[in-house]
Amino acid sequence: MANPAPASTGGIAITEHRLANGLRVVLSEDHLTPVAAVCLWYDVGSRHEVKGRTGLAHLFEHLMFQGSANVSNNGHFELVQGAGGSLNGTTSFERTNYFETMPTHQLELALWLEADRMGSLLAALDEKSMENQRDVVKNERRQRYDNVPYGTAFEKLTALSYPDDHPYHHTPIGSMADLDAATLEDARAFFRTYYAPNNAVLSVVGDIDPEQTIAWVEKYFGTIPSHDGKQPPRDGSLPEVIGREVRELVEEEVPARALMSAYRLPHDGTREADAADLALTVLGSGESSRLYNRLVRRDRTAISAGFGMLRLSGAPSLGWLDVKAAGEATIAQIELAVDEELARFAAEGPTTEELERAQAQIEREWLDRLTTVAGRADELCRFAVLFGDPKLVNGAVARVLDITADEVRAVAAARLRPDNRAVLVYEPVAASTDEEEQAA
C-alpha cells in the first residue's frame, strides 16, 4: 500500500491498494463526522458503445439496481436507505459510477452490496428486468429530452460538434431505436466485458478504519474474477478547431428564441483546459460575467446568458454557450453582440480583477465539492480512472490559480472563433390545433 500524502501539503491524505484481480482501491480517512462514502467508477461510458447499440451504458446503470444473486428487485435501495444511507448512479461519455454515503457502522453493508452486484448481477438479469428498465430509460428520455423545451439541444449540439463516426457523436441517453433493439444477450455481453474488477476503481472516504476497510474489500471483492476482453475506446482525437461554422435551425414550441453554440476546447487534464475554463467563467458564469452584462443588462436582448465548459478527457472538451432571447430581439442581434465580446476578449484578455474573481469562483466551487465525503470519493475515482493518479486531486486548485491572464487570452483567441463552433438556433412556433385542443 502506498503512503498517505504528506500532511504538510495540506491536501487530502490518500492511500492506495490493488487486489489480485485488478481492482484498484483508494482510501482517505476523515473522522470529522461519523459517515463514510463509497464510490465505484467503471471505466465505461457511451464512448465505448458501437453504432446501433447506443444507450447500453446508461441502460446498464439502471439494470445494476434491479437485483443480483443475493439482493432481489429494489433491494439495493431498500437496504441502503433502511440503514440511513443515500445512493445513486450516473453515466457519462467516459465512465459509469455508483455511490453510497452511509453511517460509519453500515460501511460493510455498502461494500457487500457493490461487490454482490459486480460479481453476481448476471444471475438475476432476465428478460423481465431488462424490459422493466428499458421502459424506465425510454420514459426518462421522453421526460428529459423529447418532451421538454430545448430538451434535445445537448444531443443536437453534440452530434454537430463531433463527426458521425466519432465515439462522442451520440450522448449517453441513446436513441429510442437502439434502446428497442438492445437484447438480453447484448446486456450480458456488455456486463461481462466492462463490469469487471480490473476495469474499476473503488474509493472509500470518511470515518473509516483503513485496515478493516481493506479487509472487507478483500473479503467481498477479492474472489470476483477479472476479465481481459475489453477493447480500448475508439480514438477521440480531432483537430484543434472545427474549421468552419456548423449551423442548424430548430423550429419548435419553445418559450423564447435561443442561441446555443458549442466551441471545441482543449482536453481535460491539460493546462490549456484550465485556461479555457477561466475564460468561460469570465465571459459567461454568473451575473457579473461579460456576456450577462452585455446581453441582459445593457442591450436587454436576452433574459439569460451563460457560457460553461463540458470537460472531456478522451476527446476535445466543449465550451457551451446558452442565450435565451428577450421579447422581439433577434438571434442576429444577439450573435453580433456575442461575437463582439469574444473578439474583444481574444484581443485584450481578462483584467486582473476578472481573472482573480474567476479563479476564486472556481476555487470555491472546487472546495465546496471536496467539503463532502461523497464529493471527495467521486473526485478520487475521477483522477484515478481518467488521469491515472488519484493524488492529482491535491494540486487541482493550485493548477488553476497558476494560470496567467495571457494564457486565458491565448486560448480564447485560438478557440472561441466563428470557424470553431456548432450553432443551434431555436425559433418558436405556435402549437398545432390538435395539441391546443388536447391541452384544453
Side-chain angles (χ1 to χ4, degrees):
M1 186 182 298
N3 293 323
S8 61
T9 66
I12 301 169
I14 299 166
T15 58
E16 292 186 69
H17 186 85
R18 193 180 290 271
L19 304 194
N21 59 12
L23 179 67
R24 190 173 182 182
V25 185
V26 183
L27 305 181
S28 181
E29 287 184 78
D30 176 3
H31 302 289
L32 188 61
T33 55
V35 295
V38 173
C39 187
L40 187 59
W41 272 44
Y42 290 94
D43 186 10
V44 58
S46 59
R47 67 172 173 165
H48 295 86
E49 297 164 351
V50 297
K51 191 172 184 178
R53 288 297 181 268
T54 65
L56 262 179
H58 180 233
L59 175 60
F60 222 96
E61 173 210 321
H62 287 257
L63 290 171
M64 285 284 277
F65 289 101
Q66 276 295 287
S68 49
N70 299 296
V71 182
S72 62
N73 299 325
N74 204 39
H76 197 111
F77 276 98
E78 293 169 357
L79 287 168
V80 170
Q81 292 171 342
S86 60
L87 73 161
N88 213 332
T90 66
T91 311
S92 77
F93 290 98
E94 300 180 327
R95 59 97 185 104
T96 307
N97 67 346
Y98 302 90
F99 44 93
E100 297 89 5
T101 300
M102 306 288 281
T104 298
H105 68 283
Q106 297 287 2
L107 172 59
E108 184 180 7
L109 172 63
L111 293 171
W112 173 76
L113 284 168
E114 288 294 357
D116 188 59
R117 60 183 177 181
M118 178 190 282
S120 71
L121 185 117
L122 286 186
L125 183 59
D126 56 21
E127 290 286 358
K128 182 180 179 181
S129 59
M130 180 80 172
E131 289 307 312
N132 177 286
Q133 289 308 301
R134 191 201 311 268
D135 288 343
V136 169
V137 172
K138 288 168 70 176
N139 281 330
E140 180 182 344
R141 181 183 169 88
R142 293 184 190 102
Q143 293 169 4
R144 294 178 54 194
Y145 287 74
D146 297 334
N147 297 334
V148 295
Y150 317 107
T152 57
F154 179 58
E155 191 172 50
K156 289 178 183 296
L157 268 181
T158 300
L160 290 174
S161 300
Y162 301 108
D164 285 348
D165 59 347
H166 193 271
Y168 291 69
H169 178 74
H170 69 278
T171 56
I173 193 68
S175 72
M176 283 292 196
D178 287 357
L179 288 169
D180 283 333
T183 66
L184 180 60
E185 187 48 45
D186 287 333
R188 286 173 172 163
F190 193 87
F191 179 85
R192 285 191 292 265
T193 301
Y194 296 109
Y195 279 75
N198 55 316
N199 195 47
V201 171
L202 172 71
S203 67
V204 187
V205 176
D207 186 25
I208 63 173
D209 176 335
E211 290 187 7
Q212 177 63 79
T213 302
I214 286 297
W216 283 331
V217 172
E218 290 276 10
K219 177 181 179 181
Y220 297 123
F221 289 89
T223 58
I224 302 172
S226 60
H227 188 279
D228 297 325
K230 175 187 172 183
Q231 296 297 314
R234 288 172 293 136
D235 183 17
S237 61
L238 288 169
E240 289 189 353
V241 297
I242 299 172
R244 64 187 178 92
E245 182 183 88
V246 185
R247 181 177 290 259
E248 181 178 333
L249 173 65
V250 182
E251 295 178 325
E252 286 184 1
E253 294 173 52
V254 291
R257 293 186 179 96
L259 170 68
M260 300 184 191
S261 301
Y263 293 79
R264 191 176 288 178
L265 296 179
H267 290 239
D268 191 17
T270 63
R271 190 175 178 92
E272 292 79 12
D274 288 336
D277 201 355
L278 286 165
L280 300 194
T281 302
V282 172
L283 286 164
S285 181
E287 296 183 5
S288 64
S289 67
R290 289 197 181 191
L291 290 175
Y292 190 93
N293 276 318
R294 171 71 186 269
L295 299 171
V296 180
R297 287 204 171 101
R298 196 190 98 179
D299 294 356
R300 298 188 179 180
T301 54
I303 57 174
S304 65
F307 211 173
M309 184 171 178
L310 174 63
R311 285 179 174 261
L312 298 169
S313 64
S317 303
L318 292 180
W320 208 270
L321 174 71
D322 186 347
V323 182
K324 303 297 192 308
E328 297 303 312
T330 67
I331 295 301
Q333 288 176 285
I334 292 171
E335 204 160 19
L336 179 62
V338 168
D339 285 346
E340 286 178 359
E341 292 300 323
L342 296 188
R344 184 163 67 91
F345 190 82
E348 302 172 0
T351 65
T352 300
E353 181 184 358
E354 284 177 325
L355 179 59
E356 290 176 351
R357 185 167 61 238
Q359 288 172 323
Q361 182 176 332
I362 291 176
E363 181 180 21
R364 188 202 70 236
E365 292 168 353
W366 177 249
L367 295 178
D368 283 347
R369 178 106 174 105
L370 298 186
T371 295
T372 67
V373 290
R376 261 172 280 158
D378 192 52
E379 290 298 337
L380 291 175
C381 280
R382 183 173 83 91
F383 279 99
V385 170
L386 299 182
F387 307 113
D389 185 2
K391 292 186 175 69
L392 290 172
V393 71
N394 284 321
V397 170
R399 289 191 291 273
V400 172
L401 298 181
D402 190 49
I403 300 294
T404 66
D406 191 59
E407 287 176 288
V408 175
R409 186 208 60 75
V411 77
R415 302 301 189 102
L416 302 182
R417 301 163 20 185
D419 66 345
N420 186 39
R421 67 186 176 200
V423 179
L424 206 58
V425 174
Y426 278 87
E427 284 289 345
V429 296
S432 68
T433 302
D434 290 345
E435 289 170 337
E436 289 174 345
E437 290 175 353
Q438 187 176 9

Short mmCIF file of all heavy atoms in Angstrom, two decimals, residues 87-132:
data_model
loop_
_atom_site.label_atom_id
_atom_site.label_comp_id
_atom_site.label_asym_id
_atom_site.label_seq_id
_atom_site.Cartn_x
_atom_site.Cartn_y
_atom_site.Cartn_z
N LEU A 87 -27.93 6.92 -1.98
CA LEU A 87 -27.22 6.24 -3.07
C LEU A 87 -27.74 6.69 -4.41
O LEU A 87 -28.83 7.28 -4.50
CB LEU A 87 -27.42 4.73 -2.96
CG LEU A 87 -28.82 4.17 -3.32
CD1 LEU A 87 -28.71 2.69 -3.62
CD2 LEU A 87 -29.83 4.42 -2.22
N ASN A 88 -26.96 6.43 -5.45
CA ASN A 88 -27.39 6.67 -6.81
C ASN A 88 -26.32 6.17 -7.77
O ASN A 88 -25.31 5.59 -7.35
CB ASN A 88 -27.68 8.16 -7.07
CG ASN A 88 -28.81 8.37 -8.07
OD1 ASN A 88 -29.04 7.52 -8.93
ND2 ASN A 88 -29.50 9.48 -7.96
N GLY A 89 -26.52 6.43 -9.04
CA GLY A 89 -25.55 6.10 -10.07
C GLY A 89 -25.74 7.03 -11.24
O GLY A 89 -26.85 7.55 -11.45
N THR A 90 -24.70 7.28 -12.03
CA THR A 90 -24.81 8.15 -13.20
C THR A 90 -23.93 7.60 -14.32
O THR A 90 -22.99 6.82 -14.08
CB THR A 90 -24.37 9.60 -12.90
OG1 THR A 90 -22.96 9.63 -12.60
CG2 THR A 90 -25.14 10.19 -11.72
N THR A 91 -24.25 8.02 -15.53
CA THR A 91 -23.49 7.61 -16.72
C THR A 91 -23.07 8.84 -17.50
O THR A 91 -23.85 9.79 -17.64
CB THR A 91 -24.33 6.72 -17.64
OG1 THR A 91 -24.95 5.69 -16.87
CG2 THR A 91 -23.48 6.09 -18.72
N SER A 92 -21.86 8.84 -18.01
CA SER A 92 -21.38 9.94 -18.85
C SER A 92 -20.74 9.37 -20.11
O SER A 92 -20.78 8.17 -20.35
CB SER A 92 -20.35 10.80 -18.08
OG SER A 92 -19.10 10.14 -18.03
N PHE A 93 -20.16 10.24 -20.91
CA PHE A 93 -19.42 9.78 -22.08
C PHE A 93 -18.29 8.83 -21.69
O PHE A 93 -17.97 7.91 -22.43
CB PHE A 93 -18.79 10.97 -22.82
CG PHE A 93 -19.77 11.87 -23.52
CD1 PHE A 93 -20.19 13.05 -22.91
CD2 PHE A 93 -20.25 11.57 -24.77
CE1 PHE A 93 -21.08 13.91 -23.55
CE2 PHE A 93 -21.14 12.40 -25.42
CZ PHE A 93 -21.56 13.58 -24.81
N GLU A 94 -17.67 9.06 -20.50
CA GLU A 94 -16.39 8.43 -20.20
C GLU A 94 -16.39 7.48 -19.02
O GLU A 94 -15.38 6.80 -18.79
CB GLU A 94 -15.34 9.53 -19.96
CG GLU A 94 -15.19 10.41 -21.18
CD GLU A 94 -14.18 11.53 -21.04
OE1 GLU A 94 -14.03 12.07 -19.91
OE2 GLU A 94 -13.54 11.86 -22.04
N ARG A 95 -17.49 7.36 -18.29
CA ARG A 95 -17.50 6.46 -17.14
C ARG A 95 -18.92 6.22 -16.67
O ARG A 95 -19.85 6.95 -17.01
CB ARG A 95 -16.67 7.03 -16.00
CG ARG A 95 -17.17 8.40 -15.52
CD ARG A 95 -18.07 8.30 -14.31
NE ARG A 95 -18.66 9.58 -13.91
CZ ARG A 95 -19.90 9.90 -14.14
NH1 ARG A 95 -20.70 9.09 -14.79
NH2 ARG A 95 -20.39 11.06 -13.74
N THR A 96 -19.08 5.17 -15.85
CA THR A 96 -20.33 4.95 -15.12
C THR A 96 -19.96 4.83 -13.64
O THR A 96 -19.02 4.11 -13.29
CB THR A 96 -21.02 3.65 -15.57
OG1 THR A 96 -21.16 3.67 -16.99
CG2 THR A 96 -22.39 3.52 -14.93
N ASN A 97 -20.68 5.56 -12.78
CA ASN A 97 -20.33 5.49 -11.36
C ASN A 97 -21.54 5.15 -10.49
O ASN A 97 -22.69 5.39 -10.85
CB ASN A 97 -19.68 6.80 -10.88
CG ASN A 97 -20.62 7.98 -10.89
OD1 ASN A 97 -21.70 7.95 -11.47
ND2 ASN A 97 -20.21 9.06 -10.25
N TYR A 98 -21.23 4.54 -9.36
CA TYR A 98 -22.23 4.16 -8.36
C TYR A 98 -21.71 4.61 -7.01
O TYR A 98 -20.51 4.50 -6.73
CB TYR A 98 -22.45 2.64 -8.37
CG TYR A 98 -22.88 2.12 -9.72
CD1 TYR A 98 -21.93 1.73 -10.66
CD2 TYR A 98 -24.22 2.06 -10.07
CE1 TYR A 98 -22.31 1.28 -11.91
CE2 TYR A 98 -24.62 1.61 -11.33
CZ TYR A 98 -23.65 1.22 -12.24
OH TYR A 98 -24.04 0.78 -13.48
N PHE A 99 -22.61 5.10 -6.15
CA PHE A 99 -22.11 5.68 -4.91
C PHE A 99 -23.14 5.60 -3.79
O PHE A 99 -24.34 5.66 -4.02
CB PHE A 99 -21.68 7.14 -5.12
CG PHE A 99 -22.65 7.96 -5.93
CD1 PHE A 99 -23.64 8.71 -5.32
CD2 PHE A 99 -22.56 7.99 -7.32
CE1 PHE A 99 -24.53 9.47 -6.06
CE2 PHE A 99 -23.45 8.75 -8.07
CZ PHE A 99 -24.43 9.49 -7.45
N GLU A 100 -22.62 5.42 -2.58
CA GLU A 100 -23.42 5.42 -1.36
C GLU A 100 -22.73 6.26 -0.31
O GLU A 100 -21.50 6.28 -0.23
CB GLU A 100 -23.58 3.99 -0.79
CG GLU A 100 -24.32 3.01 -1.67
CD GLU A 100 -23.41 2.26 -2.63
OE1 GLU A 100 -22.18 2.44 -2.55
OE2 GLU A 100 -23.94 1.51 -3.47
N THR A 101 -23.50 6.95 0.50
CA THR A 101 -22.99 7.59 1.71
C THR A 101 -23.71 6.95 2.89
O THR A 101 -24.95 6.95 2.93
CB THR A 101 -23.22 9.10 1.71
OG1 THR A 101 -22.56 9.67 0.58
CG2 THR A 101 -22.66 9.74 2.99
N MET A 102 -22.96 6.39 3.82
CA MET A 102 -23.53 5.57 4.89
C MET A 102 -23.07 6.04 6.26
O MET A 102 -21.98 6.59 6.40
CB MET A 102 -23.09 4.11 4.71
CG MET A 102 -23.37 3.50 3.36
SD MET A 102 -25.11 3.15 3.09
CE MET A 102 -25.30 1.62 4.02
N PRO A 103 -23.88 5.78 7.30
CA PRO A 103 -23.33 5.90 8.65
C PRO A 103 -22.13 4.94 8.76
O PRO A 103 -22.14 3.85 8.15
CB PRO A 103 -24.48 5.44 9.55
CG PRO A 103 -25.71 5.60 8.72
CD PRO A 103 -25.29 5.36 7.29
N THR A 104 -21.12 5.33 9.50
CA THR A 104 -19.88 4.55 9.55
C THR A 104 -20.13 3.08 9.84
O THR A 104 -19.52 2.20 9.21
CB THR A 104 -18.93 5.15 10.61
OG1 THR A 104 -18.60 6.48 10.23
CG2 THR A 104 -17.67 4.33 10.72
N HIS A 105 -21.02 2.79 10.78
CA HIS A 105 -21.22 1.40 11.19
C HIS A 105 -21.93 0.57 10.11
O HIS A 105 -22.05 -0.66 10.26
CB HIS A 105 -21.99 1.32 12.51
CG HIS A 105 -23.42 1.79 12.42
ND1 HIS A 105 -23.76 3.11 12.36
CD2 HIS A 105 -24.58 1.08 12.36
CE1 HIS A 105 -25.08 3.21 12.28
NE2 HIS A 105 -25.60 2.01 12.28
N GLN A 106 -22.37 1.21 9.01
CA GLN A 106 -23.01 0.48 7.93
C GLN A 106 -22.12 0.41 6.68
O GLN A 106 -22.59 -0.01 5.61
CB GLN A 106 -24.34 1.16 7.56
CG GLN A 106 -25.37 1.17 8.66
CD GLN A 106 -25.99 -0.22 8.89
OE1 GLN A 106 -25.62 -1.19 8.23
NE2 GLN A 106 -26.91 -0.31 9.82
N LEU A 107 -20.86 0.76 6.81
CA LEU A 107 -19.95 0.73 5.67
C LEU A 107 -19.84 -0.67 5.06
O LEU A 107 -19.84 -0.83 3.84
CB LEU A 107 -18.56 1.23 6.08
CG LEU A 107 -17.44 1.10 5.05
CD1 LEU A 107 -17.78 1.84 3.77
CD2 LEU A 107 -16.12 1.59 5.64
N GLU A 108 -19.76 -1.68 5.90
CA GLU A 108 -19.61 -3.05 5.40
C GLU A 108 -20.78 -3.43 4.50
O GLU A 108 -20.60 -4.10 3.47
CB GLU A 108 -19.50 -4.04 6.56
CG GLU A 108 -19.24 -5.46 6.09
CD GLU A 108 -19.14 -6.46 7.23
OE1 GLU A 108 -19.41 -6.08 8.40
OE2 GLU A 108 -18.79 -7.63 6.96
N LEU A 109 -21.98 -2.98 4.84
CA LEU A 109 -23.15 -3.28 4.03
C LEU A 109 -23.00 -2.70 2.62
O LEU A 109 -23.28 -3.39 1.63
CB LEU A 109 -24.41 -2.72 4.69
CG LEU A 109 -25.71 -2.77 3.86
CD1 LEU A 109 -26.08 -4.21 3.57
CD2 LEU A 109 -26.83 -2.03 4.58
N ALA A 110 -22.56 -1.46 2.53
CA ALA A 110 -22.39 -0.83 1.22
C ALA A 110 -21.36 -1.57 0.38
O ALA A 110 -21.56 -1.79 -0.83
CB ALA A 110 -22.00 0.64 1.38
N LEU A 111 -20.26 -1.98 0.99
CA LEU A 111 -19.23 -2.70 0.25
C LEU A 111 -19.75 -4.06 -0.23
O LEU A 111 -19.50 -4.47 -1.36
CB LEU A 111 -17.98 -2.86 1.13
CG LEU A 111 -17.24 -1.57 1.47
CD1 LEU A 111 -16.16 -1.83 2.52
CD2 LEU A 111 -16.63 -0.95 0.22
N TRP A 112 -20.49 -4.74 0.63
CA TRP A 112 -21.05 -6.04 0.24
C TRP A 112 -22.04 -5.88 -0.92
O TRP A 112 -22.02 -6.67 -1.87
CB TRP A 112 -21.75 -6.69 1.43
CG TRP A 112 -22.47 -7.94 1.03
CD1 TRP A 112 -21.90 -9.17 0.76
CD2 TRP A 112 -23.87 -8.09 0.81
NE1 TRP A 112 -22.88 -10.07 0.39
CE2 TRP A 112 -24.10 -9.44 0.41
CE3 TRP A 112 -24.96 -7.23 0.90
CZ2 TRP A 112 -25.37 -9.93 0.12
CZ3 TRP A 112 -26.23 -7.72 0.62
CH2 TRP A 112 -26.43 -9.05 0.23
N LEU A 113 -22.88 -4.86 -0.86
CA LEU A 113 -23.85 -4.64 -1.92
C LEU A 113 -23.18 -4.38 -3.27
O LEU A 113 -23.57 -4.94 -4.30
CB LEU A 113 -24.77 -3.46 -1.57
CG LEU A 113 -25.84 -3.74 -0.52
CD1 LEU A 113 -26.47 -2.43 -0.04
CD2 LEU A 113 -26.93 -4.66 -1.09
N GLU A 114 -22.14 -3.53 -3.28
CA GLU A 114 -21.45 -3.24 -4.53
C GLU A 114 -20.74 -4.48 -5.05
O GLU A 114 -20.73 -4.75 -6.26
CB GLU A 114 -20.45 -2.09 -4.35
CG GLU A 114 -21.07 -0.72 -4.18
CD GLU A 114 -21.81 -0.23 -5.42
OE1 GLU A 114 -21.80 -0.94 -6.46
OE2 GLU A 114 -22.41 0.85 -5.35
N ALA A 115 -20.14 -5.24 -4.16
CA ALA A 115 -19.44 -6.45 -4.59
C ALA A 115 -20.43 -7.50 -5.10
O ALA A 115 -20.16 -8.21 -6.08
CB ALA A 115 -18.62 -7.02 -3.45
N ASP A 116 -21.60 -7.58 -4.45
CA ASP A 116 -22.58 -8.60 -4.85
C ASP A 116 -23.05 -8.36 -6.28
O ASP A 116 -23.16 -9.30 -7.07
CB ASP A 116 -23.76 -8.59 -3.89
CG ASP A 116 -24.71 -9.75 -4.15
OD1 ASP A 116 -24.25 -10.91 -4.08
OD2 ASP A 116 -25.89 -9.50 -4.45
N ARG A 117 -23.32 -7.09 -6.63
CA ARG A 117 -23.80 -6.88 -7.99
C ARG A 117 -22.67 -6.91 -9.01
O ARG A 117 -22.88 -7.27 -10.17
CB ARG A 117 -24.64 -5.62 -8.11
CG ARG A 117 -23.98 -4.32 -7.74
CD ARG A 117 -25.02 -3.20 -7.85
NE ARG A 117 -24.51 -1.90 -7.44
CZ ARG A 117 -25.25 -0.80 -7.43
NH1 ARG A 117 -26.51 -0.85 -7.79
NH2 ARG A 117 -24.74 0.36 -7.04
N MET A 118 -21.45 -6.54 -8.62
CA MET A 118 -20.33 -6.70 -9.54
C MET A 118 -20.09 -8.18 -9.84
O MET A 118 -19.83 -8.56 -10.99
CB MET A 118 -19.04 -6.10 -8.96
CG MET A 118 -17.83 -6.29 -9.87
SD MET A 118 -16.24 -5.86 -9.12
CE MET A 118 -16.26 -4.08 -9.22
N GLY A 119 -20.22 -9.02 -8.84
CA GLY A 119 -19.89 -10.43 -9.01
C GLY A 119 -21.03 -11.31 -9.45
O GLY A 119 -20.79 -12.40 -9.99
N SER A 120 -22.29 -10.88 -9.25
CA SER A 120 -23.38 -11.83 -9.47
C SER A 120 -24.60 -11.25 -10.18
O SER A 120 -25.66 -11.87 -10.18
CB SER A 120 -23.83 -12.42 -8.12
OG SER A 120 -24.52 -11.43 -7.34
N LEU A 121 -24.48 -10.07 -10.80
CA LEU A 121 -25.66 -9.49 -11.42
C LEU A 121 -26.23 -10.38 -12.53
O LEU A 121 -27.45 -10.45 -12.70
CB LEU A 121 -25.34 -8.11 -11.99
CG LEU A 121 -26.59 -7.41 -12.55
CD1 LEU A 121 -26.90 -6.14 -11.79
CD2 LEU A 121 -26.42 -7.09 -14.03
N LEU A 122 -25.37 -11.07 -13.26
CA LEU A 122 -25.86 -11.90 -14.36
C LEU A 122 -26.78 -13.02 -13.88
O LEU A 122 -27.64 -13.49 -14.64
CB LEU A 122 -24.69 -12.50 -15.13
CG LEU A 122 -23.91 -11.55 -16.04
CD1 LEU A 122 -22.88 -12.32 -16.85
CD2 LEU A 122 -24.83 -10.78 -16.96
N ALA A 123 -26.64 -13.43 -12.63
CA ALA A 123 -27.51 -14.47 -12.09
C ALA A 123 -28.96 -14.00 -11.99
O ALA A 123 -29.88 -14.82 -11.99
CB ALA A 123 -27.01 -14.91 -10.72
N ALA A 124 -29.16 -12.68 -11.89
CA ALA A 124 -30.51 -12.14 -11.73
C ALA A 124 -31.02 -11.44 -12.97
O ALA A 124 -32.20 -11.10 -13.05
CB ALA A 124 -30.53 -11.19 -10.53
N LEU A 125 -30.15 -11.18 -13.94
CA LEU A 125 -30.55 -10.43 -15.13
C LEU A 125 -31.37 -11.31 -16.07
O LEU A 125 -30.88 -12.31 -16.59
CB LEU A 125 -29.31 -9.90 -15.85
CG LEU A 125 -29.55 -9.03 -17.09
CD1 LEU A 125 -30.37 -7.79 -16.74
CD2 LEU A 125 -28.22 -8.63 -17.72
N ASP A 126 -32.64 -10.95 -16.26
CA ASP A 126 -33.50 -11.73 -17.13
C ASP A 126 -34.34 -10.79 -18.00
O ASP A 126 -34.21 -9.57 -17.93
CB ASP A 126 -34.41 -12.66 -16.31
CG ASP A 126 -35.23 -11.91 -15.27
OD1 ASP A 126 -35.42 -10.68 -15.41
OD2 ASP A 126 -35.69 -12.55 -14.31
N GLU A 127 -35.19 -11.37 -18.84
CA GLU A 127 -36.00 -10.57 -19.76
C GLU A 127 -36.91 -9.60 -19.03
O GLU A 127 -37.14 -8.47 -19.48
CB GLU A 127 -36.84 -11.49 -20.66
CG GLU A 127 -36.04 -12.27 -21.68
CD GLU A 127 -35.55 -11.41 -22.84
OE1 GLU A 127 -35.85 -10.20 -22.87
OE2 GLU A 127 -34.84 -11.96 -23.71
N LYS A 128 -37.44 -10.01 -17.88
CA LYS A 128 -38.36 -9.15 -17.14
C LYS A 128 -37.66 -7.88 -16.66
O LYS A 128 -38.17 -6.77 -16.86
CB LYS A 128 -38.95 -9.91 -15.95
CG LYS A 128 -39.96 -9.09 -15.14
CD LYS A 128 -40.52 -9.89 -13.98
CE LYS A 128 -41.50 -9.05 -13.17
NZ LYS A 128 -42.04 -9.82 -12.01
N SER A 129 -36.49 -8.02 -16.03
CA SER A 129 -35.77 -6.84 -15.54
C SER A 129 -35.27 -6.00 -16.72
O SER A 129 -35.24 -4.77 -16.65
CB SER A 129 -34.61 -7.25 -14.64
OG SER A 129 -33.71 -8.09 -15.31
N MET A 130 -34.90 -6.66 -17.82
CA MET A 130 -34.44 -5.94 -19.00
C MET A 130 -35.56 -5.06 -19.55
O MET A 130 -35.36 -3.87 -19.83
CB MET A 130 -33.99 -6.95 -20.05
CG MET A 130 -33.48 -6.32 -21.34
SD MET A 130 -31.79 -5.74 -21.20
CE MET A 130 -31.48 -5.30 -22.92
N GLU A 131 -36.76 -5.62 -19.70
CA GLU A 131 -37.87 -4.86 -20.24
C GLU A 131 -38.30 -3.75 -19.28
O GLU A 131 -38.65 -2.65 -19.70
CB GLU A 131 -39.06 -5.79 -20.53
CG GLU A 131 -38.85 -6.69 -21.72
CD GLU A 131 -38.45 -5.92 -22.96
OE1 GLU A 131 -39.11 -4.91 -23.29
OE2 GLU A 131 -37.46 -6.32 -23.61
N ASN A 132 -38.27 -4.04 -17.99
CA ASN A 132 -38.64 -3.05 -16.99
C ASN A 132 -37.76 -1.81 -17.10
O ASN A 132 -38.24 -0.67 -17.17
CB ASN A 132 -38.55 -3.68 -15.59
CG ASN A 132 -38.85 -2.69 -14.48
OD1 ASN A 132 -38.03 -1.82 -14.19
ND2 ASN A 132 -40.00 -2.83 -13.85
#
